[in-house]
Amino acid sequence: MKITLDNMEDFARGAAFLGTGGGGDPYIGRMLAQNAIKEFGAPEVITADELADDAVVLTAAMLGSPPVLLEKACCGDDIDLAIRKLEEKLGRKADAILPIEIGGVNSTLPIMAAARLGLPVVDADGMGRAFPELQMVTFNVYGCSATPLVVTDEHLNSVLIEADSGQRAEGLVRAAAIQMGLSVMISSFPLNGRQVKDYAVHGTLSLALGIGIAIREGRTAGNPVEELVAYLKTTPYYNQAKILFDGKVTDLRRETTKGFAIGHCLMDALDGSGRQMEIIFQNEHLVARENGITKAIVPDLICMVDRETAEPIPVEHLRYGQRIKIIGTSAAPIMRTPEALQVFGPRIFGLNEDFIPIEQL
Amino acid sequence: MKITLDNMEDFARGAAFLGTGGGGDPYIGRMLAQNAIKEFGAPEVITADELADDAVVLTAAMLGSPPVLLEKACCGDDIDLAIRKLEEKLGRKADAILPIEIGGVNSTLPIMAAARLGLPVVDADGMGRAFPELQMVTFNVYGCSATPLVVTDEHLNSVLIEADSGQRAEGLVRAAAIQMGLSVMISSFPLNGRQVKDYAVHGTLSLALGIGIAIREGRTAGNPVEELVAYLKTTPYYNQAKILFDGKVTDLRRETTKGFAIGHCLMDALDGSGRQMEIIFQNEHLVARENGITKAIVPDLICMVDRETAEPIPVEHLRYGQRIKIIGTSAAPIMRTPEALQVFGPRIFGLNEDFIPIEQL
């Protein structure tokens, strides 16, 4: 697989779909990666299996509230600094850059970082989607430490954190991010190649690209949402895809609070049936309920797309009256284990229900 | 000068006086230092002038809300860790430990740290009193960087911060401290010997001891408050000392908010004159007003002592009905310069008036 200037739009659009409402505006993410590729060349994309077991793999991500990223993007030096400071702490240079999440801007930011630093980027991530909190990744589920980690801002202030749990690290990172303006760069979860092979969700850069291509080709064919769902059904993780709802936004509450974009969105069905769907989000969509009945719930993916163009809609672009189709899909199997649900199952987000796979709902 | 088990009580009591209401319970501070001296021996106390110009001098302090320290003191390993992590970052070992402030627990904590690490402690500090925020020290006024600095907690989580200003460092430290339970250890303002000689407030450990001795001897003589004021008048910094008020507490509001102990205290005069005094505090006392007229204001010192025993009263021990004498004193000249007032003058604390020296009030 190659990420180039030519397929960046497809890739960023697919990643925005996997962002499940969070992860930031794909336009911003695309611009950041495109500029880096123009200046430094496209980074090599390697599979996890190509990593040496003792390779040093560092993640590169934006952390904060996606709506803030619209106003305060990254400058490049900040993400370089986060990685360099983490290398300095580890006493070893990075061999590759890994996306911590494939959803949204955090799919393109590692490409930007890898291009700037002349490193390969790994075709894998820590969730196969996006999640709002630092500890919500497979690596944490399976015992890899989130720290040491480094947070930086555009003034090149930096914070190096060493904590005894992913949850504690999240608390410290979030507090620093709020002080730094709620859109910061972070390099966390320093991993070795073996850990990436064992615990990453593999091939997700390729899948994001595939999703973006399916949407584009569907537009040409005049049925982008159907093409998208058909493509998802062919994938190893997202094969339980279905259209959950076809409606328009009738109520929207969205606050930037506690360091997140938190709220809910209500939709009325367009078929005149009177059915209603409610989506609750914390950066990402957490649960979709039709007339109070759960239709999909984390860690399965709940994605909003424009009903005509299948354009993924991040939470910050939701508007009253928008016409939207809701697509639900299964998450990767490694994301649905009992241990994984202890870290990012429904109850972790304060939802008073257990996870039920979308194929059973 | 020597700090020993024998004079620790005098020393801690004098330091509590210089804490101007903040800086934490001297009993806790005394216990911490006494235990360290019993286990590791008393540290050597050296003057700033004994430092080599290129000596590495690190500060050791507790940061947070003094009332929280009553419930969550430090364990020793946490302050060791803060200093060791800062040494690691600097790539040099510390040659001496310096109190960042002489007021309260932060006078005894450096003694504890120095004892544990086998280092001398410098007879000086960064203010000759206590202040609530990180950047409120002479070193910051005169251009020494607060960072790199390290914050640690009792679980041995650590945060290393590098920031472009003392104010920014304070924001990041405070956010981390709140996450870590609002009573944390910090080693900040890494200095060289020349900087300590040029910008520290010299001899303040000796002065704290002198204050404690004056109170104890005054108790024997039956007039501790008068003895205390008489001693202060002989000192290089606190020589404008006077008794501002003699009253009892009639109103008290004290909140732990934004990472500080913030509030005010009202007192009625005991002489039946109907005069009232109001003290406003943010950890430390900021201004003393009698019937609305300012009698002393930061950075000059406003200290509360028991009217019979001259025992210094930290904010967290204030109680309705307490009988108190308020003593005001001048701050060290280096604390009263125009540059210094830009960093910890009245307006920095949100008070709508300029600094006027206590001798002119």
Side-chain angles (χ1 to χ4, degrees):
Chain A
M1 180 214 179
K2 280 191 177 300
I3 299 279
T4 65
L5 292 177
D6 292 334
N7 65 12
M8 182 59 70
E9 190 168 343
D10 287 339
F11 174 74
R13 184 170 285 126
F17 177 82
L18 294 175
T20 70
D25 189 320
Y27 176 77
I28 302 277
R30 179 157 60 88
M31 288 295 129
L32 291 172
Q34 280 178 342
N35 284 343
I37 289 175
K38 278 181 198 160
E39 191 172 348
F40 301 96
E44 185 188 2
V45 181
I46 62 174
T47 66
D49 292 332
E50 292 178 65
L51 289 165
D53 279 359
D54 67 346
V56 175
V57 184
L58 302 187
T59 68
M62 171 268 176
L63 181 140
S65 170
V68 175
L69 187 70
L70 288 177
E71 301 187 18
K72 177 162 117 62
C74 84
C75 67
D77 291 343
D78 42 10
I79 188 63
D80 295 357
L81 182 69
I83 291 164
R84 292 303 184 211
K85 288 272 176 192
L86 189 49
E87 287 178 332
E88 181 187 304
K89 173 65 193 173
L90 297 169
R92 293 186 63 187
K93 301 295 266 184
D95 296 308
I97 300 295
L98 175 76
I100 192 78
E101 61 184 2
I102 187 63
V105 169
N106 281 340
S107 63
T108 48
L109 204 121
I111 292 168
M112 173 188 177
R116 293 178 63 92
L117 299 169
L119 292 171
V121 63
V122 185
D123 185 4
D125 78 315
M127 59 190 80
R129 48 167 295 156
F131 263 138
E133 298 184 21
L134 179 72
Q135 79 281 7
M136 294 175 169
V137 299
T138 53
F139 307 115
N140 180 43
V141 172
Y142 298 102
C144 309
S145 175
T147 67
L149 66 76
V150 175
V151 184
T152 60
D153 68 16
E154 72 280 14
H155 302 290
L156 305 184
N157 297 299
S158 71
V159 177
L160 165 68
I161 293 171
E162 295 176 83
D164 57 5
S165 75
Q167 186 69 55
R168 187 109 58 186
E170 157 68 21
L172 290 164
V173 165
R174 192 69 45 181
I178 291 170
Q179 287 296 317
M180 287 169 145
L182 213 41
S183 168
V184 297
M185 299 300 121
I186 177 171
S187 186
S188 63
F189 284 97
L191 300 163
N192 63 44
R194 185 74 252 159
Q195 292 170 316
V196 177
K197 291 179 212 181
D198 289 347
Y199 306 128
V201 181
H202 292 241
T204 46
L205 271 70
S206 298
L207 288 168
L209 181 58
I211 290 168
I213 292 171
I215 294 173
R216 177 169 47 77
E217 293 181 347
R219 286 180 189 175
T220 306
N223 57 350
V225 177
E226 290 70 21
E227 286 278 316
L228 168 57
V229 172
Y231 173 75
L232 292 170
K233 286 179 188 290
T234 70
T235 63
Y237 313 132
Y238 312 122
N239 45 47
Q240 300 298 323
K242 49 187 170 184
I243 297 172
L244 298 178
F245 203 75
D246 179 9
K248 68 171 179 182
V249 177
T250 56
D251 193 71
L252 176 63
R253 197 174 58 211
R254 186 177 46 206
E255 293 178 1
T256 296
T257 181
K258 299 177 190 164
F260 302 103
I262 289 177
H264 80 154
C265 175
L266 284 182
M267 276 157 288
D268 282 353
L270 286 179
D271 62 9
S273 63
R275 290 178 302 128
Q276 274 203 325
M277 179 156 274
E278 179 184 30
I279 307 271
I280 295 172
F281 50 81
Q282 177 186 342
N283 287 11
E284 284 74 33
H285 303 310
L286 301 178
V287 61
R289 296 191 185 114
E290 184 182 311
N291 295 353
I293 310 294
T294 295
K295 295 296 182 182
I297 191 162
V298 282
D300 281 349
L301 285 70
I302 298 161
C303 310
M304 293 188 177
V305 298
D306 181 279
R307 79 184 296 268
E308 311 299 339
T309 65
E311 188 69 20
I313 303 171
V315 159
E316 63 268 34
H317 288 316
L318 273 177
R319 298 285 179 268
Y320 176 82
Q322 249 174 336
R323 277 144 170 85
I324 287 172
K325 284 187 176 168
I326 310 289
I327 298 173
T329 83
S330 44
I334 198 174
M335 297 286 291
R336 290 168 144 201
T337 64
E339 313 88 80
L341 296 176
Q342 295 291 319
V343 178
F344 38 68
R347 294 190 187 276
I348 305 303
F349 291 96
L351 299 173
N352 191 24
E353 55 189 303
D354 289 319
F355 173 68
I356 300 176
I358 189 168
E359 57 271 29
Q360 295 170 27
L361 285 168
Chain B
M1 182 216 179
K2 281 188 178 301
I3 299 280
T4 65
L5 293 177
D6 292 335
N7 65 14
M8 181 59 68
E9 189 169 343
D10 287 339
F11 173 74
R13 183 170 286 124
F17 176 82
L18 294 175
T20 69
D25 187 319
Y27 176 77
I28 302 275
R30 177 157 62 87
M31 288 295 129
L32 291 171
Q34 281 178 342
N35 284 343
I37 290 175
K38 278 179 195 159
E39 192 174 348
F40 301 95
E44 185 189 1
V45 181
I46 62 174
T47 66
D49 292 332
E50 292 177 65
L51 290 165
D53 278 359
D54 67 347
V56 175
V57 184
L58 302 186
T59 69
M62 171 266 174
L63 180 139
S65 169
V68 176
L69 188 70
L70 287 177
E71 301 186 19
K72 179 162 117 59
C74 82
C75 67
D77 291 342
D78 42 8
I79 189 63
D80 295 356
L81 183 69
I83 291 164
R84 290 304 185 210
K85 290 272 177 192
L86 189 50
E87 287 178 331
E88 181 187 304
K89 173 66 194 172
L90 297 169
R92 293 187 62 185
K93 302 294 268 183
D95 296 307
I97 300 296
L98 175 76
I100 192 78
E101 62 185 1
I102 187 63
V105 168
N106 281 340
S107 64
T108 49
L109 204 121
I111 292 168
M112 173 188 178
R116 294 178 62 93
L117 299 169
L119 293 171
V121 62
V122 186
D123 185 3
D125 79 314
M127 59 190 82
R129 50 166 295 156
F131 264 138
E133 298 183 21
L134 179 73
Q135 78 282 9
M136 294 176 169
V137 301
T138 53
F139 305 115
N140 180 44
V141 171
Y142 298 102
C144 309
S145 175
T147 67
L149 65 78
V150 176
V151 184
T152 60
D153 68 17
E154 70 282 14
H155 303 291
L156 306 184
N157 297 300
S158 71
V159 177
L160 165 68
I161 293 170
E162 295 176 82
D164 58 4
S165 75
Q167 187 69 52
R168 186 109 58 185
E170 159 66 22
L172 289 165
V173 165
R174 191 70 45 183
I178 291 171
Q179 287 296 316
M180 289 170 144
L182 213 41
S183 168
V184 297
M185 299 301 122
I186 178 170
S187 186
S188 62
F189 284 97
L191 300 163
N192 63 42
R194 184 74 254 157
Q195 291 170 315
V196 176
K197 290 179 213 181
D198 288 347
Y199 306 127
V201 182
H202 292 240
T204 46
L205 271 71
S206 298
L207 288 168
L209 181 59
I211 289 168
I213 291 170
I215 293 173
R216 176 168 51 78
E217 293 181 348
R219 286 178 188 176
T220 308
N223 57 351
V225 177
E226 291 69 22
E227 287 278 315
L228 168 56
V229 172
Y231 172 75
L232 291 170
K233 287 180 187 289
T234 69
T235 64
Y237 314 131
Y238 313 122
N239 45 46
Q240 299 300 322
K242 49 188 167 182
I243 297 172
L244 299 177
F245 204 74
D246 180 8
K248 67 171 179 182
V249 176
T250 57
D251 193 71
L252 176 62
R253 196 173 58 210
R254 183 178 47 205
E255 293 177 3
T256 297
T257 184
K258 298 177 194 166
F260 301 104
I262 289 178
H264 81 156
C265 176
L266 285 182
M267 276 158 287
D268 281 355
L270 286 178
D271 61 9
S273 63
R275 289 177 302 128
Q276 274 203 324
M277 178 155 276
E278 178 183 32
I279 307 271
I280 294 172
F281 50 83
Q282 176 185 345
N283 288 10
E284 284 75 32
H285 303 310
L286 301 178
V287 61
R289 296 191 184 113
E290 185 182 309
N291 296 351
I293 309 295
T294 295
K295 294 296 184 182
I297 191 161
V298 283
D300 281 350
L301 285 70
I302 299 162
C303 310
M304 294 188 177
V305 298
D306 181 279
R307 79 185 294 270
E308 310 299 337
T309 66
E311 188 70 21
I313 303 171
V315 159
E316 62 268 36
H317 288 317
L318 274 178
R319 298 286 178 270
Y320 176 82
Q322 250 175 335
R323 277 143 171 87
I324 288 172
K325 284 186 175 167
I326 310 290
I327 298 174
T329 82
S330 43
I334 198 175
M335 297 285 291
R336 291 169 142 198
T337 64
E339 313 90 78
L341 296 176
Q342 295 291 319
V343 177
F344 38 66
R347 294 189 188 274
I348 305 301
F349 292 95
L351 300 172
N352 191 23
E353 56 189 303
D354 288 319
F355 173 69
I356 300 177
I358 189 169
E359 57 270 29
Q360 296 170 25
L361 285 168

